[in-house]
Amino acid sequence: VQTCALPIFSLFTFLPHVAYSAEQEEDWQVIYMSNQRVGYGRSKIEKVMRDNKTIYVTKHEEHLTMKRFGQSIRMDSSSVTEENEDGQLLSYVWEMKNPPAQTTRSVGSVLGGKLEVETTVGGQTSKQTITLEADVKSSAYQDRLMRSKQLKSGESLSFKMFSPEFS
């Protein structure tokens, strides 16, 4: 669980936001490091109804290619999170691909205030249970929050969020 204070500094330069409908939004980003384009990202938020409840499904992917010590490195990460209207995490799937290394994958689902996590690193799978505090938000919550809440100059906003990359 991490505490996130907004606004957040990012390496991303955002391209124009594209909204398809009130039920679905999609953003594309270009990623720069040291004034060089090294990749791109894409986020898609869908509002769905499940058991008469509104669920937000956020799909995010990033693709990076850069040179390190003269060799080209490619890293791909993707995540799918589900959260309720208040931003509380319901489930997630997170993957990091960094060939030739094996894929790292983490899958979690919240049941009764506890997050059941299954993580696979280097072909080895482990399971753990994490107790989530009631005010912990999904890692995708900040995207929706910043679209709906306009911050004034000098104003800040903070909340706790779960980040699957660190589980």
Side-chain angles (χ1 to χ4, degrees), residues 30-84:
V30 177
I31 302 170
Y32 286 90
M33 292 179 76
S34 301
N35 294 323
Q36 287 198 334
R37 182 175 183 234
V38 295
Y40 67 94
R42 176 179 163 262
S43 295
K44 182 177 177 182
I45 303 171
E46 292 182 82
K47 181 178 173 181
V48 299
M49 294 299 291
R50 190 178 303 146
D51 299 326
N52 292 322
K53 294 179 184 172
T54 301
I55 306 295
Y56 290 91
V57 179
T58 302
K59 298 175 182 177
H60 183 78
E61 61 185 74
E62 290 179 355
H63 305 277
L64 302 170
T65 303
M66 58 192 108
K67 289 209 180 245
R68 184 172 178 198
F69 304 117
Q71 295 203 3
S72 185
I73 298 172
R74 179 164 174 93
M75 295 188 314
D76 299 310
S77 68
S78 64
S79 66
V80 177
T81 59
E82 293 188 352
E83 63 186 79
N84 67 15

Side-chain angles (χ1 to χ4, degrees), residues 61-158:
E61 61 185 74
E62 290 179 355
H63 305 277
L64 302 170
T65 303
M66 58 192 108
K67 289 209 180 245
R68 184 172 178 198
F69 304 117
Q71 295 203 3
S72 185
I73 298 172
R74 179 164 174 93
M75 295 188 314
D76 299 310
S77 68
S78 64
S79 66
V80 177
T81 59
E82 293 188 352
E83 63 186 79
N84 67 15
E85 285 186 284
D86 296 329
Q88 290 179 315
L89 178 67
L90 302 174
S91 67
Y92 76 88
V93 175
W94 176 81
E95 259 188 8
M96 171 68 77
K97 295 178 181 178
N98 185 10
Q102 292 180 339
T103 298
T104 298
R105 181 178 170 91
S106 181
V107 178
S109 183
V110 177
L111 302 168
K114 297 197 183 289
L115 178 61
E116 302 290 331
V117 178
E118 183 175 291
T119 304
T120 304
V121 178
Q124 301 293 315
T125 300
S126 64
K127 294 183 181 185
Q128 65 178 326
T129 300
I130 301 170
T131 301
L132 287 181
E133 298 173 32
D135 60 345
V136 172
K137 305 296 185 188
S138 158
S139 60
Y141 175 68
Q142 65 187 359
D143 293 331
R144 284 194 309 110
L145 179 65
M146 295 310 294
R147 284 187 177 95
S148 65
K149 180 161 179 63
Q150 297 289 323
L151 294 180
K152 296 177 182 154
S153 180
E155 186 178 14
S156 66
L157 182 63
S158 65

